[in-house]
Amino acid sequence: MGERVVAVTGGHGVLGRAVVQAALDAGLKVAVIDHAAGLPVPDGVLEVGGVDLTDPAQAQGAINRVIAHFGRLDALLNIAGGFVWQTVDDAAPAWDRMFALNLTTAVNASRAALTHLKASPEGRIVNVGAHAALKAAAGMGPYAASKAAVHALTQALAEELKSTSVTVNAVLPSILDTAQNRADMPDADPTAWVAPADLASVILFLASPASRAMTGALAPVTGRV
């Protein structure tokens, strides 16, 4: 695994940073692709910042930079995304924004990376769906719908790539234990939530050669919620 190269979109976020650290701990070479730019990354990590992954050309340019630097790409980890709680009658609908952040970013990054992943003997795409998308609660419409679309993308792309070395899977986390979620839900028990490092471990397994028998899987990672 030491020669494997992984690209992490949204690598500057809470989950992204956990995934980057888990990848480094596993001896992988890592590139961070993010809209933010100039933020610190661990030694040896390639930072590709200032990238709008909703733009196909920018997504392709980011992947091209990864290939120029490392010479290969073995796994794409689509962590980039966003969340909003919003009822359907809100005066400023966020549906388009949620689909852009959660679905379009994954589509564009995946399309940009496919040629290179097919060249890997063990190509991997891992997407981040949401357990909340399996049955949307009140106020979860835009977010859950966009994540349900990520689930469909995962399954469709897995079928399309079955004749290649590339597998495509998704994790479906429940609530992540983050500082923001603790602030937003002060009466909840965060020990029942999913630690970013634990979710990162599942993502890294799906990105590894050991997961070769899995494709099209939507894997719940729900802690004790």
Side-chain angles (χ1 to χ4, degrees), residues 24 28-31 41-47 69-70:
L24 291 173
L28 305 179
K29 298 176 181 178
V30 183
V41 294
D43 290 344
V45 172
L46 171 67
E47 194 229 1
H69 185 83
F70 290 116

Side-chain angles (χ1 to χ4, degrees), residues 49-77:
V51 179
D52 179 2
L53 288 171
T54 67
D55 179 347
Q58 291 194 43
Q60 188 64 67
I63 295 297
N64 290 348
R65 285 187 58 188
V66 175
I67 298 301
H69 185 83
F70 290 116
R72 62 185 290 174
L73 179 62
D74 299 284
L76 173 67
L77 313 182

Side-chain angles (χ1 to χ4, degrees), residues 14 53 77 92 116 140 151 184 217:
V14 173
L53 288 171
L77 313 182
H116 307 291
M140 297 291 283
H151 301 175
D184 290 343

Side-chain angles (χ1 to χ4, degrees), residues 77-100:
L77 313 182
N78 284 314
I79 312 297
F83 172 81
V84 66
W85 188 96
Q86 185 182 85
T87 55
V88 175
D89 63 353
D90 192 279
W95 294 75
D96 287 348
R97 179 158 60 93
M98 286 293 93
F99 273 82

Side-chain angles (χ1 to χ4, degrees), residues 3-209:
E3 294 301 311
R4 286 175 65 79
V5 175
V6 300
V8 183
T9 74
H12 284 315
V14 173
L15 177 58
R17 291 195 299 271
V19 169
V20 167
Q21 189 57 57
L24 291 173
D25 291 345
L28 305 179
K29 298 176 181 178
V30 183
V32 166
I33 301 172
D34 205 292
H35 190 266
L39 298 181
V41 294
D43 290 344
V45 172
L46 171 67
E47 194 229 1
V48 184
V51 179
D52 179 2
L53 288 171
T54 67
D55 179 347
Q58 291 194 43
Q60 188 64 67
I63 295 297
N64 290 348
R65 285 187 58 188
V66 175
I67 298 301
H69 185 83
F70 290 116
R72 62 185 290 174
L73 179 62
D74 299 284
L76 173 67
L77 313 182
N78 284 314
I79 312 297
F83 172 81
V84 66
W85 188 96
Q86 185 182 85
T87 55
V88 175
D89 63 353
D90 192 279
W95 294 75
D96 287 348
R97 179 158 60 93
M98 286 293 93
F99 273 82
L101 291 176
N102 292 321
L103 176 64
T104 304
T105 57
V107 171
N108 288 343
S110 297
R111 290 181 68 245
L114 276 180
T115 297
H116 307 291
L117 294 173
K118 289 177 182 178
S120 169
E122 297 277 2
R124 300 286 182 266
I125 296 175
V126 184
N127 296 323
V128 178
H131 197 257
L134 299 179
K135 183 179 180 181
M140 297 291 283
Y143 174 75
S146 67
K147 287 297 191 178
V150 171
H151 301 175
L153 166 67
T154 300
Q155 293 171 322
L157 189 53
E159 289 296 318
E160 293 170 14
L161 295 173
K162 276 190 171 178
S163 64
T164 76
S165 68
V166 183
T167 65
V168 189
N169 296 289
V171 292
L172 277 57
S174 57
I175 302 171
L176 288 184
D177 184 6
T178 66
Q180 186 62 58
N181 282 337
R182 288 189 180 217
D184 290 343
M185 294 174 276
D187 297 326
D189 175 13
T191 64
W193 298 345
V194 177
D198 290 338
L199 181 55
S201 295
V202 179
I203 290 171
L204 263 292
F205 167 72
L206 292 175
S208 74

